[in-house]
Amino acid sequence: MTALLTGSVRRQSLFLQFSKICKARLLSSDKKSRPPRSKPQSFEERRKLQKAASKPAGSIPTSLPQPEQLNIFDELPFPGNEPPPEESGEFVYNNTVFDEVEALEASTYRSKNIANKFEELMQWTLDGKLWRYPIDNEQDWDTEHETGFEDHVFLNRFLDRTSKKPAPLAAFMELVCTGLAQNPYLDSNEKRKHLEWFEGYFKNKAGQIEAAVLEEKRLAELEAKAKATTQ
């Protein structure tokens, strides 16, 4: 019994070894017979190969050779378009009036020869009627970038404190300062000019306002006395 078992085990081991050897030989022969794998081609290379395969034999090439440069034209500018001379101590006359006149004539020509809505919008943008892109709420306010907010808001310090004002006039000027502080459309210089205008307007009328206030007080006292006597 033991002899039979040992014989079957030997046969199984021999069969396994034989199968491994056959498998290794098959793999080696498959690798030798398989062609080498080509590198992946790009889309442009495949397109060139397809074009070359689709062209018939003896076809004329479409791309022509580039001509040689003859250099028959010089690089001298046309008369009147010469570049400005270098600043080497020479006096260069430059009148900006003619530049402004040319710009005005060009803008007038553009405004008269508007062909469509797009050119009209472009002209409005150049004239300052439309916002320039990118849109900024502070366009053309270059001087205001260096102005602090205190010059826009705290305007009471710009009032004239040397002369005493009547109470109604002082209250009115406080309201003017509050209104100008809340105005986003005026710069600081314009707000100061508004305050100066009001100061100059009421400068010679302070006496009249004071007299009107005293008269109102006198009338109020007389009215109070009349009411007291009637009671």
Side-chain angles (χ1 to χ4, degrees), residues 6-20:
T6 54
S8 62
V9 170
R10 287 179 181 176
R11 285 195 296 271
Q12 289 179 0
S13 62
L14 290 173
F15 179 75
L16 291 173
Q17 291 178 2
F18 179 74
S19 62
K20 288 180 180 180

Side-chain angles (χ1 to χ4, degrees), residues 177-189:
C177 292
T178 304
L180 290 174
Q182 297 176 0
N183 191 337
Y185 303 104
L186 300 178
D187 56 9
S188 59
N189 293 328

